[in-house]
PDB file of all heavy atoms in Angstrom:
ATOM      1  N   VAL A  60     116.877 144.252  87.423  1.00  0.00           N
ATOM      2  CA  VAL A  60     115.600 144.653  88.028  1.00  0.00           C
ATOM      3  C   VAL A  60     114.927 143.402  88.584  1.00  0.00           C
ATOM      4  O   VAL A  60     114.758 142.413  87.867  1.00  0.00           O
ATOM      5  CB  VAL A  60     114.664 145.314  86.977  1.00  0.00           C
ATOM      6  CG1 VAL A  60     113.369 145.775  87.634  1.00  0.00           C
ATOM      7  CG2 VAL A  60     115.361 146.466  86.277  1.00  0.00           C
ATOM      8  N   SER A  68     114.817 133.774  92.771  1.00  0.00           N
ATOM      9  CA  SER A  68     115.211 134.976  92.024  1.00  0.00           C
ATOM     10  C   SER A  68     116.163 135.847  92.839  1.00  0.00           C
ATOM     11  O   SER A  68     117.132 136.395  92.305  1.00  0.00           O
ATOM     12  CB  SER A  68     113.983 135.801  91.625  1.00  0.00           C
ATOM     13  OG  SER A  68     113.213 135.098  90.688  1.00  0.00           O
ATOM     14  N   TYR A  71     119.551 134.238  92.592  1.00  0.00           N
ATOM     15  CA  TYR A  71     120.190 134.414  91.276  1.00  0.00           C
ATOM     16  C   TYR A  71     120.680 135.843  91.085  1.00  0.00           C
ATOM     17  O   TYR A  71     121.809 136.079  90.659  1.00  0.00           O
ATOM     18  CB  TYR A  71     119.217 134.077  90.129  1.00  0.00           C
ATOM     19  CG  TYR A  71     118.734 132.658  90.095  1.00  0.00           C
ATOM     20  CD1 TYR A  71     117.471 132.341  89.619  1.00  0.00           C
ATOM     21  CD2 TYR A  71     119.541 131.616  90.538  1.00  0.00           C
ATOM     22  CE1 TYR A  71     117.018 131.038  89.586  1.00  0.00           C
ATOM     23  CE2 TYR A  71     119.089 130.310  90.508  1.00  0.00           C
ATOM     24  CZ  TYR A  71     117.833 130.027  90.036  1.00  0.00           C
ATOM     25  OH  TYR A  71     117.386 128.738  90.012  1.00  0.00           O
ATOM     26  N   LYS A  75     124.453 137.335  90.584  1.00  0.00           N
ATOM     27  CA  LYS A  75     124.853 138.107  89.393  1.00  0.00           C
ATOM     28  C   LYS A  75     125.548 139.405  89.817  1.00  0.00           C
ATOM     29  O   LYS A  75     126.588 139.770  89.279  1.00  0.00           O
ATOM     30  CB  LYS A  75     123.610 138.419  88.529  1.00  0.00           C
ATOM     31  CG  LYS A  75     123.061 137.191  87.803  1.00  0.00           C
ATOM     32  CD  LYS A  75     121.701 137.438  87.158  1.00  0.00           C
ATOM     33  CE  LYS A  75     121.155 136.140  86.556  1.00  0.00           C
ATOM     34  NZ  LYS A  75     119.795 136.250  86.003  1.00  0.00           N
ATOM     35  N   ILE A 117     119.034 143.449  82.947  1.00  0.00           N
ATOM     36  CA  ILE A 117     118.095 142.321  82.866  1.00  0.00           C
ATOM     37  C   ILE A 117     116.891 142.621  83.748  1.00  0.00           C
ATOM     38  O   ILE A 117     117.005 143.333  84.746  1.00  0.00           O
ATOM     39  CB  ILE A 117     118.749 141.005  83.332  1.00  0.00           C
ATOM     40  CG1 ILE A 117     119.169 141.074  84.804  1.00  0.00           C
ATOM     41  CG2 ILE A 117     119.960 140.661  82.477  1.00  0.00           C
ATOM     42  CD1 ILE A 117     119.354 139.726  85.452  1.00  0.00           C
ATOM     43  N   VAL A 118     115.766 142.076  83.351  1.00  0.00           N
ATOM     44  CA  VAL A 118     114.589 142.067  84.220  1.00  0.00           C
ATOM     45  C   VAL A 118     114.419 140.613  84.626  1.00  0.00           C
ATOM     46  O   VAL A 118     114.160 139.748  83.783  1.00  0.00           O
ATOM     47  CB  VAL A 118     113.333 142.584  83.478  1.00  0.00           C
ATOM     48  CG1 VAL A 118     112.124 142.551  84.401  1.00  0.00           C
ATOM     49  CG2 VAL A 118     113.567 143.985  82.921  1.00  0.00           C
ATOM     50  N   GLN A 119     114.627 140.321  85.898  1.00  0.00           N
ATOM     51  CA  GLN A 119     114.609 138.929  86.340  1.00  0.00           C
ATOM     52  C   GLN A 119     113.205 138.337  86.191  1.00  0.00           C
ATOM     53  O   GLN A 119     112.210 138.961  86.566  1.00  0.00           O
ATOM     54  CB  GLN A 119     115.080 138.834  87.806  1.00  0.00           C
ATOM     55  CG  GLN A 119     115.260 137.415  88.324  1.00  0.00           C
ATOM     56  CD  GLN A 119     116.387 136.642  87.640  1.00  0.00           C
ATOM     57  OE1 GLN A 119     117.339 137.220  87.118  1.00  0.00           O
ATOM     58  NE2 GLN A 119     116.286 135.329  87.638  1.00  0.00           N
ATOM     59  N   LEU A 120     113.126 137.150  85.651  1.00  0.00           N
ATOM     60  CA  LEU A 120     111.860 136.430  85.490  1.00  0.00           C
ATOM     61  C   LEU A 120     111.792 135.306  86.529  1.00  0.00           C
ATOM     62  O   LEU A 120     112.841 134.823  86.960  1.00  0.00           O
ATOM     63  CB  LEU A 120     111.764 135.845  84.085  1.00  0.00           C
ATOM     64  CG  LEU A 120     111.921 136.838  82.928  1.00  0.00           C
ATOM     65  CD1 LEU A 120     111.822 136.108  81.600  1.00  0.00           C
ATOM     66  CD2 LEU A 120     110.889 137.955  83.003  1.00  0.00           C
ATOM     67  N   PRO A 121     110.642 134.872  86.948  1.00  0.00           N
ATOM     68  CA  PRO A 121     109.323 135.326  86.517  1.00  0.00           C
ATOM     69  C   PRO A 121     108.916 136.636  87.185  1.00  0.00           C
ATOM     70  O   PRO A 121     109.368 136.948  88.277  1.00  0.00           O
ATOM     71  CB  PRO A 121     108.413 134.176  86.994  1.00  0.00           C
ATOM     72  CG  PRO A 121     109.114 133.595  88.186  1.00  0.00           C
ATOM     73  CD  PRO A 121     110.579 133.769  87.930  1.00  0.00           C
ATOM     74  N   LEU A 132     109.347 142.779  78.332  1.00  0.00           N
ATOM     75  CA  LEU A 132     110.534 142.371  77.562  1.00  0.00           C
ATOM     76  C   LEU A 132     110.614 143.099  76.227  1.00  0.00           C
ATOM     77  O   LEU A 132     111.700 143.434  75.749  1.00  0.00           O
ATOM     78  CB  LEU A 132     110.542 140.850  77.343  1.00  0.00           C
ATOM     79  CG  LEU A 132     110.663 140.009  78.618  1.00  0.00           C
ATOM     80  CD1 LEU A 132     110.676 138.517  78.296  1.00  0.00           C
ATOM     81  CD2 LEU A 132     111.914 140.376  79.425  1.00  0.00           C
ATOM     82  N   ASP A 142     120.223 139.765  78.251  1.00  0.00           N
ATOM     83  CA  ASP A 142     119.584 138.454  78.398  1.00  0.00           C
ATOM     84  C   ASP A 142     119.264 137.831  77.043  1.00  0.00           C
ATOM     85  O   ASP A 142     118.977 136.631  76.963  1.00  0.00           O
ATOM     86  CB  ASP A 142     118.256 138.610  79.162  1.00  0.00           C
ATOM     87  CG  ASP A 142     118.335 138.132  80.603  1.00  0.00           C
ATOM     88  OD1 ASP A 142     119.181 137.268  80.888  1.00  0.00           O
ATOM     89  OD2 ASP A 142     117.543 138.629  81.425  1.00  0.00           O
ATOM     90  N   PHE A 144     116.561 138.284  75.342  1.00  0.00           N
ATOM     91  CA  PHE A 144     115.154 137.857  75.333  1.00  0.00           C
ATOM     92  C   PHE A 144     114.288 138.659  74.360  1.00  0.00           C
ATOM     93  O   PHE A 144     113.186 138.254  74.031  1.00  0.00           O
ATOM     94  CB  PHE A 144     114.535 138.002  76.737  1.00  0.00           C
ATOM     95  CG  PHE A 144     115.070 137.042  77.770  1.00  0.00           C
ATOM     96  CD1 PHE A 144     114.754 137.207  79.113  1.00  0.00           C
ATOM     97  CD2 PHE A 144     115.876 135.971  77.409  1.00  0.00           C
ATOM     98  CE1 PHE A 144     115.228 136.322  80.077  1.00  0.00           C
ATOM     99  CE2 PHE A 144     116.364 135.088  78.369  1.00  0.00           C
ATOM    100  CZ  PHE A 144     116.040 135.261  79.703  1.00  0.00           C
ATOM    101  N   SER A 161     121.080 134.335  74.649  1.00  0.00           N
ATOM    102  CA  SER A 161     120.639 134.134  76.038  1.00  0.00           C
ATOM    103  C   SER A 161     121.674 133.342  76.817  1.00  0.00           C
ATOM    104  O   SER A 161     122.253 132.376  76.307  1.00  0.00           O
ATOM    105  CB  SER A 161     119.316 133.375  76.081  1.00  0.00           C
ATOM    106  OG  SER A 161     118.338 134.111  75.433  1.00  0.00           O
ATOM    107  N   ALA A 162     121.860 133.771  78.064  1.00  0.00           N
ATOM    108  CA  ALA A 162     123.002 133.288  78.843  1.00  0.00           C
ATOM    109  C   ALA A 162     123.027 131.770  79.055  1.00  0.00           C
ATOM    110  O   ALA A 162     124.099 131.159  79.001  1.00  0.00           O
ATOM    111  CB  ALA A 162     123.029 134.006  80.184  1.00  0.00           C
ATOM    112  N   THR A 163     121.883 131.150  79.284  1.00  0.00           N
ATOM    113  CA  THR A 163     121.912 129.702  79.555  1.00  0.00           C
ATOM    114  C   THR A 163     122.292 128.895  78.308  1.00  0.00           C
ATOM    115  O   THR A 163     123.248 128.111  78.355  1.00  0.00           O
ATOM    116  CB  THR A 163     120.582 129.236  80.177  1.00  0.00           C
ATOM    117  OG1 THR A 163     120.365 129.986  81.376  1.00  0.00           O
ATOM    118  CG2 THR A 163     120.616 127.756  80.521  1.00  0.00           C
ATOM    119  N   ILE A 191     113.513 130.514  76.943  1.00  0.00           N
ATOM    120  CA  ILE A 191     114.809 130.881  77.519  1.00  0.00           C
ATOM    121  C   ILE A 191     115.866 129.801  77.276  1.00  0.00           C
ATOM    122  O   ILE A 191     117.038 130.105  77.100  1.00  0.00           O
ATOM    123  CB  ILE A 191     114.653 131.139  79.042  1.00  0.00           C
ATOM    124  CG1 ILE A 191     113.734 132.331  79.297  1.00  0.00           C
ATOM    125  CG2 ILE A 191     115.989 131.355  79.719  1.00  0.00           C
ATOM    126  CD1 ILE A 191     113.533 132.656  80.775  1.00  0.00           C
ATOM    127  N   THR A 298     125.762 130.214  83.215  1.00  0.00           N
ATOM    128  CA  THR A 298     124.763 131.232  82.878  1.00  0.00           C
ATOM    129  C   THR A 298     125.232 132.608  83.341  1.00  0.00           C
ATOM    130  O   THR A 298     125.142 133.601  82.605  1.00  0.00           O
ATOM    131  CB  THR A 298     123.414 130.863  83.544  1.00  0.00           C
ATOM    132  OG1 THR A 298     122.970 129.633  82.996  1.00  0.00           O
ATOM    133  CG2 THR A 298     122.359 131.921  83.314  1.00  0.00           C
ATOM    134  N   LEU A 302     126.304 135.921  81.017  1.00  0.00           N
ATOM    135  CA  LEU A 302     125.635 137.221  81.185  1.00  0.00           C
ATOM    136  C   LEU A 302     126.689 138.320  81.295  1.00  0.00           C
ATOM    137  O   LEU A 302     126.550 139.403  80.706  1.00  0.00           O
ATOM    138  CB  LEU A 302     124.757 137.193  82.450  1.00  0.00           C
ATOM    139  CG  LEU A 302     124.114 138.526  82.816  1.00  0.00           C
ATOM    140  CD1 LEU A 302     123.064 138.938  81.786  1.00  0.00           C
ATOM    141  CD2 LEU A 302     123.477 138.453  84.212  1.00  0.00           C
TER     142      LEU A 302
HETATM  143  N1  GUN B   5     114.866 133.582  85.235  1.00  0.00           N
HETATM  144  C1  GUN B   5     115.435 132.359  85.070  1.00  0.00           C
HETATM  145  N2  GUN B   5     116.518 132.454  84.274  1.00  0.00           N
HETATM  146  C2  GUN B   5     116.648 133.750  83.942  1.00  0.00           C
HETATM  147  C3  GUN B   5     117.584 134.461  83.139  1.00  0.00           C
HETATM  148  O1  GUN B   5     118.529 133.916  82.557  1.00  0.00           O
HETATM  149  N3  GUN B   5     117.372 135.797  83.040  1.00  0.00           N
HETATM  150  C4  GUN B   5     116.324 136.424  83.644  1.00  0.00           C
HETATM  151  N4  GUN B   5     116.189 137.731  83.463  1.00  0.00           N
HETATM  152  N5  GUN B   5     115.435 135.785  84.383  1.00  0.00           N
HETATM  153  C5  GUN B   5     115.604 134.458  84.531  1.00  0.00           C
END
Side-chain angles (χ1 to χ4, degrees):
V60 182
S68 293
Y71 297 148
K75 288 170 185 175
I117 63 160
V118 179
Q119 187 66 25
L120 304 179
L132 296 181
D142 255 334
F144 291 170
S161 299
T163 302
I191 296 180
T298 297
L302 174 68

